[in-house]
Amino acid sequence: MESAELHEKNLDKICRICGEPLTEIVRRKPISKHAMEKEPISISLKAAVGIDVDHDIPGVHPQYVCHGCDRKLRTWKKKHTKKTGTKPMLQTLTVHAFTPHDDDCEICHRLSEQAAADRPTEQATDLQLAAELKSKEHGFATWIGDNRQHIFVTLDQGLCASRAIMIFPDASWRLQVLDREVRPDTLPTHIEDANLDELFDWASRPFCTGSPDFASELAKTVFTDRSGESVVAKVESKFTIIRDHVAIKETVRSIHCHGITSAKASRCPPCAKYRSDLYAKRNEKTKAKPQEGDPSSHARHDLMDKETLAKKAENLKKENDQLKKQIEQLKSHINGLMENHAVPLDPKHNAELTDLFKQNTSHMESILTKDSPQRLLWEQQKQYLETKDPRQMRWHPTIIKWCIALYEKSPIAYKTIRKSNFIKLPHHTTLFKYTHFTEARSGINNDILKEIAKEANLDASPDSERNMSLLFDEMKVKNNLVYSQRSGRIWGFTEMGDINEEVTRFERQVMNEEDPPLASYVLVVMIRGIFSSLKKAVAWYPCTGFTGTQLFHSIWEVVEKVEYAGFYVRAFVSDGASTNRKFYSLHGTSSSEMPAYCAPNPVDPTRNVYFFCDVPHLMKTTRNCWENSGWNSKSRNLMFRGKQISWLHLVNLFEWDQNIGRESPGLRLLPRLTPDHIHLTPSLRMRVYLATQVLSSSVAHALTLQGKVETESTIHFINYMDTFFDIMNISNRFDGSRKHKGALVPFTSMDDPRFKWLTNDFLGFLDEWQKEGDSVVPKLKADEKRRLCLSPQTLEGLRITVYSLVELAPILLAPGPPEVSYILTEKFSQDPLEEYFSKHRGRGGFNDNPSTFIFGHQFNSLFVSASASVRYLYLYLGLQQNGRSASR
């Protein structure tokens, strides 16, 4: 009888199909019809291998299938599920033939031999016996498992093994706490008698409590990361642990929980770190979320009805109550910290520091120059420390300007410096009052124009300082829409002035277009003093790119406002873009061969406004034409007086100067010339100095020294362009004498010989060059003739600039009031506007192109940070605040 019962138990360890022992008991599959599956295995057995379990005999046939055979059955079933008719049998499975039990039963004999092989045959090792003695000292129970390992455990209140130490015969070991394997770095992989105390000390450490206060509060069993894909923590309730005489049955643990911790800490590092995330989840849950339809806390009150205002007041009251509770909690926490950890300071120390500061004040004032920024910063810091209430601090305008510039460059950096307390700076809300003294809006800002006139102090200044040049150019911006909660308007559409907007609105109606286009550029207009250092942006227009006709209306509108503010607009300065040249041509006549270079001022018709094409841009376009002559795109074949002006001349000169084929190694005539000057890329072509240095007298002298006949026209061309650039780039009074170049001397006389050189020699050179095709090679086609000279756009820009300077400079130098001693021609360049654009781009970090919304606010901030009238703005803000408070 006992043999039959043993045989039935052995059948539960045998596969019904292959007859092999089940190596993984937990993964065996029952073949009963009552199995918890949509379709029991018995159906697949009959169809795949022909086994009908209804005819199985209890005590003869097993009731389970091994994991390997079950996997093959599932694969066969998945492959032939959709097939109809007769299905092929599964050929990869061999069905074992089972016989009734007898004395020579194969199954019982095989399993008994396997059990004998697995049974331990040796006694416990000395290490295991020593560990058994240690376990009794630490309150562990001992039992011997399979494979001769000794297991020492402690049980919790639910009789679960909360701690377990396994020591194997080969001296390897394993420590588990709360079903987590713990592997201290200080213990070796194979333990010795000397390490047993440390091992049991590790196993006896206090349990990690996790976060039991969040287990039921958050009503979750699994916690994921922000993506919702990875599990980072779970609620565990298997073990009941005791910590500080408190039984913890349910807690939240990190998946990286150690299970144990030190005696001083209640949580292991992973659980302690995750606790901050649990607090954040609690705040998200308890935070009063506005219901659907509730108003925003930043919405304007004048746009709400009574019901919406009541809802907003109720929401604000809830938020206020919650903030009060948080403040009380923080106060109690800080008071507890002060009582437990605060160290009282000796009053003597405070007095010593105060005396030290006072004693060194005179020393600091002696080493710092009186009007230096360092002295001002020192005095402001001293004044701040002496002020009892920081809100009563009155900051110097220079400090305000510096702080605005720093804050606009990086708000985070400014706040970091301010919070570090290494230096005291005004709060960013104080800076906000200065930068928002006027509304950010496109077009001409009258408030800014008034401040510019006030800063210029025109009534007390010489009349010559009223003369201005008007600079305008476009800058790329992001074409997106931004809603401003402060003003309630949408930024991002084109706004090109009243007249232009009316015309474009009519065009959209004709074309059945409803919405205005999004702005991708911003046209900026700047005024620059011809005889003063004033340079301020006065207007900006979001656009998709102005046309010449649209420029006509907007630019003259700015001229009118600037003239009424007390300035005299004498010149327009722009690059040589086609739209700008079209704008200039609108002031001329089609019958005249001379390009339009001036126009009467509508405010004062006795004065003309002269047009200047930016000379650095002209130098770059001239260099580009030369580069394309025999090089790069080869779109030009420059020729003067029958000899080529080729870029190859410069290439050969550079190689010759690099000691290739020369007898004097190490000596160079052109040390500034680099491969970047010769092999240009799109970004290198934007750099002005690479153009001016190849079109310089030093290159002409080096070509002359070579003595090649074929380079005579190239030398002629370079000398003319170098002299022209020197005349148009006079930036101070001393470069002429310092560099020994007469072209760099400022204009001081109406009869300066350089005026004649520009009109007779330089323009004569251009006229002769342009007629080269007709006189020298008359049989060429019209397109080929144009390639012999500079581009028509460059020639037109050069002529416009020369005519304007030759006519405007004598007018400004004429005797009588106002007295003018000299003229610096660099004042008719676009450099300040390019620097202004770089400031806008630099304030966006990696974002080079700001949106129109950001550009509008930066427009005001840049004006304030570079303004000398911050003190007036402060008084203006104070008067406005007093007026508002009085009205309330």
Side-chain angles (χ1 to χ4, degrees):
M1 188 67 182
E2 295 180 357
S3 177
E5 292 179 355
L6 179 61
H7 178 72
E8 290 182 358
K9 291 182 178 180
N10 288 337
L11 286 178
D12 291 340
K13 302 177 183 179
I14 297 296
C15 175
R16 173 66 179 85
I17 300 177
C18 62
E20 295 296 327
L22 301 173
T23 56
E24 298 177 275
I25 300 297
V26 295
R27 302 181 73 178
R28 67 185 181 181
K29 297 295 182 180
I31 59 178
S32 172
K33 293 182 180 180
H34 303 289
M36 297 299 292
E37 296 186 6
K38 295 182 179 180
E39 182 179 337
I41 300 178
S42 58
I43 299 176
S44 300
L45 282 175
K46 186 175 182 179
V49 294
I51 297 177
D52 190 355
V53 297
D54 293 338
H55 297 89
D56 281 359
I57 303 172
V60 177
H61 297 94
Q63 299 298 315
Y64 295 95
V65 176
C66 68
H67 175 67
C69 293
D70 176 64
R71 186 174 57 184
K72 292 180 181 179
L73 282 173
R74 291 180 182 275
T75 304
W76 176 87
K77 179 181 176 182
K78 183 178 180 181
K79 185 176 180 181
H80 300 90
T81 298
K82 298 182 179 179
K83 291 184 178 181
T84 59
T86 305
K87 300 178 181 178
M89 301 291 287
L90 183 59
Q91 302 296 331
T92 57
L93 286 179
T94 303
V95 180
H96 182 79
F98 292 93
T99 59
H101 176 68
D102 53 16
D103 293 339
D104 296 328
C105 179
E106 177 194 359
I107 294 175
C108 295
H109 181 69
R110 191 196 319 169
L111 292 179
S112 63
E113 288 182 351
Q114 181 178 353
D118 295 339
R119 190 178 302 118
T121 57
E122 298 182 8
Q123 300 296 325
T125 62
D126 295 338
L127 177 64
Q128 290 173 329
L129 294 176
E132 188 173 346
L133 295 176
K134 293 290 183 182
S135 67
K136 295 178 181 180
E137 298 177 4
H138 292 81
F140 283 78
T142 305
W143 64 287
I144 301 176
D146 297 337
N147 299 327
R148 297 169 49 216
Q149 74 265 33
H150 280 50
I151 304 175
F152 312 98
V153 299
T154 59
L155 304 179
D156 64 351
Q157 293 181 351
L159 300 180
C160 295
S162 55
R163 309 174 195 264
I165 302 176
M166 288 167 278
I167 299 180
F168 300 91
D170 61 349
S172 60
W173 57 277
R174 186 178 180 185
L175 172 60
Q176 279 191 334
V177 180
L178 303 179
D179 285 346
R180 290 170 169 81
E181 184 172 356
V182 180
R183 179 68 64 172
D185 296 334
T186 57
L187 291 175
T189 55
H190 290 77
I191 202 164
E192 300 177 356
D193 292 346
N195 305 120
L196 288 176
D197 286 330
E198 185 178 357
L199 175 61
F200 279 95
D201 288 340
W202 270 96
S204 303
R205 286 193 173 192
F207 289 111
C208 170
T209 61
S211 300
D213 49 336
F214 289 96
S216 58
E217 181 179 350
L218 297 179
K220 284 186 178 182
T221 57
V222 176
F223 299 88
T224 58
D225 58 2
R226 294 182 178 178
S227 64
E229 298 178 356
S230 304
V231 177
V232 294
K234 295 181 180 179
V235 175
E236 298 183 1
S237 57
K238 179 179 178 180
F239 300 97
T240 302
I241 62 175
I242 307 295
R243 183 68 189 263
D244 297 333
H245 307 289
V246 177
I248 301 175
K249 297 182 180 180
E250 192 177 42
T251 185
V252 180
R253 296 185 187 278
S254 169
I255 59 173
H256 304 293
C257 176
H258 299 165
I260 55 176
T261 183
S262 61
K264 296 182 180 180
S266 59
R267 300 173 187 86
C268 63
C271 288
K273 183 178 180 181
Y274 186 69
R275 191 167 174 83
S276 60
D277 294 342
L278 292 174
Y279 275 114
K281 293 180 183 296
R282 172 193 281 176
N283 294 336
E284 291 177 2
K285 183 179 179 181
T286 58
K287 185 178 180 180
K289 297 182 179 179
Q291 299 179 358
E292 186 176 357
D294 284 356
S296 170
S297 59
H298 302 287
R300 292 171 55 181
H301 293 172
D302 56 345
L303 301 178
M304 299 181 186
D305 54 14
K306 292 184 179 180
E307 294 181 358
T308 309
L309 285 171
K311 285 184 179 180
K312 181 175 180 179
E314 184 180 355
N315 292 340
L316 291 175
K317 185 177 182 303
K318 290 180 180 179
E319 293 180 6
N320 191 26
D321 294 340
Q322 185 178 356
L323 290 174
K324 286 182 179 179
K325 291 180 181 179
Q326 293 180 2
I327 291 173
E328 292 299 328
Q329 291 176 358
L330 288 174
K331 284 183 178 179
S332 60
H333 180 65
I334 293 173
N335 291 333
L337 292 176
M338 294 295 292
E339 292 177 0
N340 298 327
H341 304 288
V343 178
L345 293 176
D346 190 350
K348 294 181 179 180
H349 296 164
N350 185 29
E352 291 176 358
L353 291 174
T354 304
D355 295 340
L356 183 64
F357 189 85
K358 291 181 179 179
Q359 292 173 3
N360 287 275
T361 299
S362 58
H363 175 66
M364 292 297 296
E365 292 177 351
S366 63
I367 62 176
L368 297 177
T369 309
K370 183 177 181 181
D371 296 329
S372 64
Q374 297 88 347
R375 175 70 172 272
L376 176 61
L377 182 62
W378 164 262
E379 292 176 350
Q380 289 283 283
Q381 297 301 302
K382 183 178 66 172
Q383 181 181 349
Y384 184 93
L385 295 175
E386 294 174 351
T387 304
K388 296 181 180 180
D389 188 354
R391 293 175 297 181
Q392 298 178 354
M393 176 65 186
R394 294 295 178 263
W395 296 96
H396 193 275
T398 304
I399 298 294
I400 293 292
K401 290 197 299 181
W402 176 63
C403 292
I404 290 174
L406 181 61
Y407 183 82
E408 290 297 326
K409 185 70 175 178
S410 175
I412 296 178
Y414 182 82
K415 292 178 181 179
T416 303
I417 295 173
R418 188 176 180 276
K419 290 180 180 179
S420 66
N421 288 328
F422 283 103
I423 184 173
K424 299 297 182 180
L425 298 175
H427 195 268
H428 61 87
T429 55
T430 303
L431 306 181
F432 182 88
K433 296 176 182 178
Y434 287 94
T435 57
H436 289 70
F437 77 99
T438 183
E439 180 185 358
R441 56 180 177 269
S442 61
I444 307 171
N445 193 317
N446 292 325
D447 293 333
I448 290 181
L449 196 56
K450 290 178 182 178
E451 293 299 327
I452 294 175
K454 187 184 299 183
E455 179 181 340
N457 195 13
L458 298 177
D459 295 335
S461 302
D463 202 35
S464 60
E465 295 188 3
R466 295 175 179 264
N467 293 292
M468 297 287 154
S469 58
L470 203 70
L471 288 58
F472 57 92
D473 198 0
E474 293 179 356
M475 171 183 164
K476 186 75 172 67
V477 294
K478 284 184 178 178
N479 52 347
N480 60 358
L481 295 178
V482 178
Y483 173 72
S484 173
Q485 293 182 346
R486 178 180 175 85
S487 60
R489 61 169 295 189
I490 297 177
W491 292 77
F493 294 113
T494 58
E495 300 175 12
M496 299 182 290
D498 295 338
I499 298 178
N500 290 329
E501 287 300 313
E502 288 296 332
V503 174
T504 54
R505 188 179 297 111
F506 176 74
E507 292 176 352
R508 290 199 306 271
Q509 291 177 355
V510 173
M511 301 298 295
N512 293 326
E513 297 178 359
E514 297 180 358
D515 297 331
L518 297 181
S520 55
Y521 293 91
V522 167
L523 175 72
V524 179
V525 184
M526 173 184 282
I527 59 173
R528 184 186 188 187
I530 299 177
F531 301 105
S532 66
S533 59
L534 179 65
K535 43 186 177 182
K536 299 289 183 182
V538 295
W540 63 282
Y541 299 91
C543 62
T544 57
F546 270 77
T547 64
T549 306
Q550 291 170 341
L551 277 176
F552 187 92
H553 301 296
S554 298
I555 296 300
W556 284 115
E557 181 184 7
V558 176
V559 171
E560 184 179 355
K561 294 291 182 66
V562 172
E563 288 275 348
Y564 287 148
F567 298 102
Y568 302 151
V569 177
R570 292 289 194 171
F572 292 158
V573 181
S574 66
D575 56 26
S578 59
T579 55
N580 298 332
R581 288 183 286 104
K582 175 64 176 177
F583 165 61
Y584 294 153
S585 66
L586 294 176
H587 302 86
T589 59
S590 58
S591 60
S592 175
E593 296 182 358
M594 184 178 295
Y597 63 91
C598 67
N601 192 324
V603 179
D604 185 1
T606 61
R607 287 187 283 110
N608 283 340
V609 179
Y610 293 88
F611 311 148
F612 286 84
C613 291
D614 185 45
V615 174
H617 281 81
L618 292 175
M619 295 298 290
K620 288 190 291 186
T621 57
T622 302
R623 187 274 320 274
N624 294 342
C625 292
W626 183 24
E627 183 200 7
N628 293 324
S629 177
W631 190 263
N632 194 23
S633 66
K634 298 183 179 180
S635 59
R636 302 220 158 261
N637 185 24
L638 302 183
M639 184 177 293
F640 180 70
R641 293 179 181 175
K643 296 181 180 179
Q644 284 191 335
I645 302 176
S646 175
W647 188 260
L648 289 173
H649 297 163
L650 181 66
V651 175
N652 296 332
L653 176 66
F654 177 72
E655 294 177 353
W656 175 76
D657 192 51
Q658 288 283 337
N659 304 324
I660 301 176
R662 287 181 56 195
E663 297 179 357
S664 54
L667 299 177
R668 292 193 59 189
L669 292 175
L670 305 170
R672 294 184 179 180
L673 217 59
T674 65
D676 288 345
H677 292 76
I678 310 299
H679 307 285
L680 297 167
T681 62
S683 60
L684 293 176
R685 290 187 181 93
M686 300 297 292
R687 302 180 184 179
V688 178
Y689 76 92
L690 294 180
T692 57
Q693 288 178 354
V694 298
L695 292 170
S696 63
S697 58
S698 57
V699 174
H701 294 333
L703 287 172
T704 304
L705 185 62
Q706 277 188 314
K708 296 182 179 180
V709 179
E710 60 271 17
T711 62
E712 289 181 359
S713 293
T714 304
I715 297 171
H716 206 60
F717 158 69
I718 294 175
N719 281 326
Y720 270 111
M721 294 308 302
D722 173 68
T723 306
F724 168 75
F725 181 70
D726 287 344
I727 293 174
M728 297 303 301
N729 194 43
I730 304 172
S731 57
N732 58 67
R733 293 181 296 169
F734 311 106
D735 276 351
S737 58
R738 183 170 57 87
K739 296 181 180 180
H740 304 288
K741 297 188 73 172
L744 290 174
V745 177
F747 285 91
T748 57
S749 171
M750 298 173 57
D751 302 324
D752 195 297
R754 284 172 293 181
F755 293 140
K756 290 185 179 180
W757 182 90
L758 286 171
T759 54
N760 298 335
D761 295 0
F762 184 68
L763 292 184
F765 163 69
L766 296 180
D767 293 339
E768 180 184 355
W769 192 4
Q770 193 172 12
K771 297 176 182 178
E772 181 82 12
D774 297 331
S775 59
V776 179
V777 193
K779 295 182 180 181
L780 291 178
K781 297 180 181 179
D783 183 57
E784 294 177 345
K785 291 178 181 179
R786 284 194 295 268
R787 295 181 182 180
L788 298 177
C789 189
L790 299 176
S791 64
Q793 297 84 358
T794 304
L795 291 173
E796 184 181 4
L798 292 171
R799 289 190 174 101
I800 290 173
T801 303
V802 170
Y803 286 136
S804 296
L805 178 67
V806 170
E807 191 166 324
L808 175 61
I811 294 174
L812 297 176
L813 291 170
E819 291 294 337
V820 174
S821 55
Y822 60 89
I823 293 178
L824 302 177
T825 54
E826 190 270 338
K827 295 288 186 176
F828 303 109
S829 72
Q830 219 177 356
D831 292 345
L833 192 55
E834 298 293 341
E835 294 174 3
Y836 182 77
F837 287 160
S838 67
K839 291 179 181 179
H840 273 282
R841 297 187 183 103
R843 298 193 174 203
F846 292 102
N847 180 19
D848 292 340
N849 299 327
S851 64
T852 55
F853 175 76
I854 296 176
F855 186 94
H857 288 280
Q858 289 182 353
F859 186 87
N860 290 1
S861 300
L862 284 173
F863 168 73
V864 176
S865 62
S867 175
S869 58
V870 177
R871 188 183 304 276
Y872 300 111
L873 292 177
Y874 181 80
L875 296 175
Y876 172 77
L877 290 171
L879 292 175
Q880 278 202 340
Q881 289 175 354
N882 293 335
R884 290 172 185 170
S885 61
S887 63
R888 291 178 183 174

